[in-house]
Amino acid sequence: MPTKKRVTIALIAEEAGVSVPTVSKVINGRPEVAPETRQRVERLLHLHGYQRRVGQADGPAGLVDLVFSEIESPWAMEIVRGAETAAREAGASVVISVLHTHAGPGRDWLERIAARRTDGVVIVASRLSAGLQRQLSARSMPFVVVDPEGEPPPNVASVGATNWNGGLAATRHLLELGHRRIGIIGGPADMLCSRARIDGYRAALETAGVAVAPELIRGGDFLVDSGREQGRELLALDDPPTAIFAGSDLQAFGVLEAARQRGLRVPEDLSVVGFDDLPLAQSAWPSLTTVRQPLQEMAALATRMVVASGPGAPEAKRVELATELVVRESTAPPRR
């Protein structure tokens, strides 16, 4: 039986038609390589499943990169807290990158993390392109996606929450209180978590024999302004909802403001449910009924996965942590 040839930098260099130092520069994120050459080397590294050898002088750097598309929200701060807790337990530190785009990290970012030899990458609420996946794999860079925007590839590890169950529980709670005109404000239509929450809402209504009214389903961006804007539109309908399920706590805060602007009392005139259970939810006025999404636990688990995997990808599995309805003061039976 023929012996499988060990994959070395020299082998990759020979097949790519470049020098060994050139392959080494690609692996270590050095910038002085032509784009076409870099892509050719990365493809071969990925194809052969090259694993960077780790010796005593080239051990763990004690760094985990946490990558956001945006960080200006309390939601992102919960993710940071969870990641920092898990990294500290492992004797590592967290480096935060903010991309200001949902398209995913670019080559400049890849070169920076390769140069500082980060031990792993946690990518938050971004799309993971096939190109990025190939480039991370070529560098033997472990990575996990938290709350992925779209359906992650089957060979990519991800951590999310039971969004469908959360949408179902929130809507059932309102139905059990007696509400039948229930509005929902989701997030962007192309985000997996938003679609799942709306699907849970639909399932709860259909199971209860309540018709799904298209005019009561609105899209937002999970932020306060969209909650306020869509809340105003829902409350201005000829037959407005008696309850609104907002796809995030921030959107729920916007709905509370829209209700106040119309002179409506919560929960006497309008019940409101959020999603996330941010620390602000408990101190809102009235305190917010919401679906708890274990954000810190999600980030901590993803961080442990990349730290524990060593060079190479973590086990490709999709983990969904349980959501839980937290009933507070913003929901009540509708007025008769």
Side-chain angles (χ1 to χ4, degrees):
M1 185 175 179
T3 302
K4 184 177 178 181
K5 185 184 292 186
R6 185 167 68 88
V7 181
T8 63
I9 290 179
L11 174 65
I12 300 296
E14 181 182 350
E15 290 197 22
V18 298
S19 67
V20 168
T22 297
V23 176
S24 179
K25 288 176 183 177
V26 172
I27 293 171
N28 290 291
R30 299 283 295 278
E32 59 270 20
V33 180
E36 299 81 3
T37 302
R38 183 185 301 278
Q39 290 173 13
R40 186 164 70 253
V41 171
E42 284 174 347
R43 278 196 298 270
L44 287 168
L45 289 166
H46 181 67
L47 177 66
H48 287 290
Y50 172 79
Q51 296 292 309
R52 182 174 179 171
R53 296 183 66 189
V54 180
Q56 192 171 14
D58 190 31
L63 295 176
V64 175
D65 269 73
L66 185 60
V67 188
F68 290 90
S69 55
E70 65 88 17
I71 199 172
E72 296 160 354
S73 75
W75 184 93
M77 290 300 99
E78 293 299 291
I79 295 289
V80 172
R81 289 188 183 101
E84 286 187 330
T85 297
R88 187 167 58 249
E89 291 170 355
S93 300
V94 173
V95 179
I96 298 174
S97 300
V98 185
L99 306 174
H100 301 293
T101 172
H102 289 268
R107 182 167 296 281
D108 289 346
W109 172 82
L110 280 166
E111 290 174 352
R112 287 198 302 273
I113 67 164
R116 62 176 171 257
R117 291 178 36 252
T118 191
D119 299 320
V121 180
V122 176
I123 303 171
V124 184
S126 291
R127 290 184 177 88
L128 183 69
S129 68
L132 174 61
Q133 182 183 345
R134 184 180 66 247
Q135 290 156 6
L136 288 168
S137 298
R139 293 169 172 82
S140 301
M141 188 73 66
F143 62 93
V144 177
V145 183
V146 173
D147 202 16
E149 279 202 4
E151 191 76 30
N155 59 338
V156 170
S158 66
V159 179
T162 54
N163 290 288
W164 186 90
N165 287 339
L168 183 80
T171 311
R172 275 184 175 169
H173 169 65
L174 295 170
L175 288 165
E176 288 167 358
L177 289 172
H179 294 277
R180 292 299 179 266
R181 289 284 288 176
I182 302 172
I184 183 169
I185 306 172
D190 59 349
M191 289 191 70
L192 186 65
C193 63
S194 175
R195 297 198 305 270
R197 292 169 199 176
I198 293 174
D199 288 345
Y201 157 88
R202 289 178 181 273
L205 292 178
E206 291 168 356
T207 301
V210 176
V212 177
E215 72 273 13
L216 295 182
I217 302 175
R218 304 298 173 108
D221 59 9
F222 288 146
L223 301 178
V224 174
D225 287 348
S226 68
R228 181 172 53 245
E229 179 182 343
Q230 296 300 327
R232 284 173 181 163
E233 293 187 12
L234 285 168
L235 295 174
L237 292 172
D238 292 338
D239 186 10
T242 61
I244 296 176
F245 168 35
S248 73
D249 286 350
L250 294 180
Q251 284 187 157
F253 298 152
V255 172
L256 294 176
E257 186 177 342
R260 283 193 291 270
Q261 290 172 349
R262 290 189 68 86
L264 300 176
R265 296 170 300 164
V266 175
E268 293 86 353
D269 303 316
L270 177 73
S271 286
V272 179
V273 180
F275 200 109
D276 287 330
D277 195 24
L278 300 174
L280 290 171
Q282 193 165 359
S283 58
W285 185 259
S287 60
L288 186 65
T289 294
T290 186
V291 176
R292 181 178 184 272
Q293 180 176 205
L295 297 171
Q296 290 193 33
E297 292 92 330
M298 289 159 57
L301 176 58
T303 303
R304 292 187 189 105
M305 288 167 69
V306 297
V307 170
S309 66
E315 181 184 349
K317 60 182 179 180
R318 181 172 176 180
V319 180
E320 289 191 340
L321 302 185
T323 52
E324 177 188 3
L325 180 69
V326 180
V327 179
R328 297 195 179 101
E329 299 174 341
S330 65
T331 51
R335 290 196 304 173
R336 301 299 181 187

